[in-house]
Amino acid sequence: DAKTTQPPSMDCAEGRAANLPCNHSTISGNEYVYWYRQIHSQGPQYIIHGLKNNETNEMASLIITEDRKSSTLILPHATLRDTAVYYCIVSRPNFGNEKLTFGTGTRLTIIP
Amino acid sequence: ETGVTQSPTHLIKTRGQQVTLRCSSQSGHNTVSWYQQALGQGPQFIFQYYREEENGRGNFPPRFSGLQFPNYSSELNVNALELDDSALYLCASSPNSGRNSEQYFGPGTRLTVT
């Protein structure tokens, strides 16, 4: 599976959009981009995934560049509860049997 | 619907001992994966069980072993504990309901080896 690069930390003001970047320059054609987050003392939580089209769900939006070498997770109106470590993962889909390779993620802090 | 549960929550063991951690997958999920998360690091894949068979293993020694039961619950066993085994152990289950089924993680078991 391709590796990803994320900034170690970011701050965002409450109520503003949080934009979390991820580089995955070695992504292959059949690999998807997945985002999970981990709130302190909890297990990781799935957020969203995508292949090449932009995706949106009730939690976030995912923007993938046309060359698929990078992506951005957008939390449209960040709240204090969004403070967490966010992981960008690249993996071939396998019906939930993916062996997820987590990096160190981005620690997002929402500032009141 | 009950989510993924793990027991115990916390555990303290001595170097050289053996430990068993338990995971109950979410109802209807037939895949369970185990991850080890050291302090300040992302989770690292240990192994995965699908319908009671091991379905892939990460870079962990044989003293890490597992089981999956007919009800799809699972155990992680670690023999000859080492200080570096101190970590948060996470299990995740998946329903295999689609090509991109998400994984649902439990809260983890915090293991401390002294």
Side-chain angles (χ1 to χ4, degrees):
Chain A
D1 292 339
K3 292 188 176 178
T4 62
T5 304
Q6 300 177 251
S9 64
M10 293 181 63
D11 293 339
C12 179
E14 187 178 17
R16 304 296 294 269
N19 296 278
L20 292 92
C22 179
N23 287 322
H24 31 80
S25 58
T26 60
I27 192 170
S28 60
N30 60 354
E31 290 180 317
Y32 281 65
V33 180
Y34 298 82
W35 283 83
Y36 281 75
R37 74 179 182 183
Q38 187 172 24
I39 296 170
H40 183 60
S41 298
Q42 297 182 22
Q45 175 192 25
Y46 166 83
I47 302 173
I48 198 168
H49 72 269
L51 178 62
K52 56 183 178 181
N53 298 317
N54 298 338
E55 302 288 345
T56 296
N57 63 19
E58 64 279 4
M59 289 183 67
S61 295
L62 174 60
I63 310 297
I64 302 174
T65 57
E66 192 168 344
D67 63 8
R68 303 209 322 122
K69 293 184 177 182
S70 65
S71 61
T72 302
L73 178 74
I74 302 172
L75 307 178
H77 306 286
T79 71
L80 298 179
R81 288 174 294 181
D82 292 322
T83 292
V85 178
Y86 287 77
Y87 296 99
C88 169
I89 299 164
V90 172
S91 178
R92 289 173 292 175
N94 191 22
F95 299 92
N97 291 351
E98 300 83 6
K99 288 72 172 175
L100 300 178
T101 300
F102 290 80
T104 51
T106 295
R107 181 173 298 279
L108 175 67
T109 302
I110 306 302
I111 310 297
Chain B
E1 183 177 279
T2 305
V4 178
T5 61
Q6 293 186 243
S7 62
T9 306
H10 296 86
L11 199 54
I12 299 175
K13 288 286 190 177
T14 303
R15 188 172 50 185
Q17 286 187 316
Q18 178 267 343
V19 68
T20 297
L21 310 181
R22 296 179 174 82
C23 171
S24 291
S25 58
Q26 194 160 321
S27 177
H29 292 192
N30 53 20
T31 295
V32 173
S33 303
W34 285 92
Y35 293 81
Q36 179 195 66
Q37 186 173 24
L39 202 59
Q41 302 296 315
Q44 300 300 304
F45 174 74
I46 302 174
F47 46 56
Q48 180 180 92
Y49 281 84
Y50 173 61
R51 293 184 175 179
E52 302 178 60
E53 297 288 330
E54 187 176 290
N55 183 42
R57 187 180 184 91
N59 189 27
F60 280 81
R63 60 189 184 84
F64 285 79
S65 63
L67 282 173
Q68 188 178 31
F69 300 100
N71 66 355
Y72 301 133
S73 66
S74 178
E75 286 183 355
L76 163 65
N77 299 290
V78 186
N79 293 322
L81 284 167
E82 301 177 359
L83 297 179
D84 285 348
D85 295 334
S86 293
L88 181 68
Y89 288 84
L90 297 158
C91 82
S93 71
S94 173
N96 302 120
S97 60
R99 191 161 180 252
N100 280 297
S101 293
E102 63 189 83
Q103 296 189 19
Y104 295 78
F105 283 80
T109 293
R110 172 76 60 189
L111 172 65
T112 302
V113 182
T114 62

